[in-house]
């Protein structure tokens, strides 16, 4: 492995780390810049493109659709290597929902269920949110919580704008969280 390649990997990881931190702090302008820098180093990483697309979407940047299309294209290539990769399937469902490919997005969302992990169920919830299927989004959010996905991230995610409008959104999720943690606390 060449030293320059190793150095590129370090820079890419640092840009991704910075971008993810900016995104988590809702500093989307800085997140966009950092994701763009990471893409300059590695333009074939579908998750970076997806994260850039999400940041564009949140900031109403016209580049969102193109970035989602690129993320979807690269995710599909990744699925050719491992067609059952549930993380890629969940991510791809969200990208397809965001570019308006409802039927393909729904076909993929149906592959993610209680047997999958929290992040996968969260990503499917974002797809359902984009498609206006808030009841299905809520069901997957409850599964995500049961799989120890961050309640704080769910409550604060701008990618759940439609689902957040559901009556008692925070209460339903908090009850799900409390229901899951209460027996653990009581048994200690």
């Amino acid at each position: 492995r060449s030293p320059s390649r190793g150095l590129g990997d370090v820079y890419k990881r640092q840009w991704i780390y910075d971008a993810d931190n900016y995104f988590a702090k809702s500093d989307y302008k800085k997140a966009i810049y950092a994701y763009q820098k990471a893409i300059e180093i590695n333009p074939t990483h579908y998750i970076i493109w997806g994260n850039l697309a999400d940041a564009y979407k949140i900031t109403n940047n016209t580049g969102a659709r193109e970035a989602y299309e690129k993320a979807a294209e690269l995710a599909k290539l990744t699925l050719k290597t491992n067609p059952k990769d549930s993380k890629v399937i969940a991510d791809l469902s969200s990208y397809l929902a965001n570019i308006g490919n409802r039927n393909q997005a729904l076909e993929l969302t149906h592959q993610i269920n209680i047997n999958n992990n929290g992040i996968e169920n969260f990503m499917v919830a974002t797809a359902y949110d984009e498609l206006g299927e808030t009841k299905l989004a809520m069901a997957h959010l409850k599964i995500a919580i049961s799989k120890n996905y961050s309640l704080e991230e769910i409550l604060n995610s701008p990618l759940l704008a439609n689902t957040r409008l559901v009556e008692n959104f925070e209460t339903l999720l908090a009850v799900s969280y409390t229901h899951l943690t209460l027996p653990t606390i009581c048994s200690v």
Side-chain angles (χ1 to χ4, degrees), residues 57-157:
K57 175 185 175 179
I58 293 163
T59 60
N60 296 312
N61 184 305
T62 57
R65 181 178 181 85
E66 184 179 335
Y68 278 124
E69 288 172 348
K70 185 66 174 181
E73 171 192 327
L74 294 170
K76 286 177 183 178
L77 287 174
T78 303
L79 277 180
K80 285 184 179 183
T81 305
N82 182 1
K84 296 183 186 223
D85 187 327
S86 56
K87 171 71 168 102
V88 181
I89 291 168
D91 291 341
L92 182 56
S93 73
S94 182
Y95 306 152
L96 291 171
N98 277 283
I99 59 175
N101 196 331
R102 183 180 183 82
N103 292 338
Q104 281 188 2
L106 288 172
E107 186 178 309
L108 294 171
T109 60
H110 291 105
Q111 295 179 45
I112 305 300
N113 56 47
I114 190 93
N115 297 317
N116 296 96
N117 67 34
I119 184 100
E120 294 162 355
N121 276 281
F122 174 79
M123 288 306 297
V124 165
T126 68
Y128 279 130
D129 181 88
E130 183 63 26
L131 297 170
E133 300 287 348
T134 56
K135 287 182 182 179
L136 292 168
M138 285 295 292
H140 280 273
L141 291 173
K142 289 177 183 180
I143 294 169
I145 291 168
S146 77
K147 302 286 184 164
N148 296 316
Y149 195 78
S150 168
L151 178 62
E152 181 180 356
E153 183 171 347
I154 290 170
L155 292 174
N156 295 316
S157 176

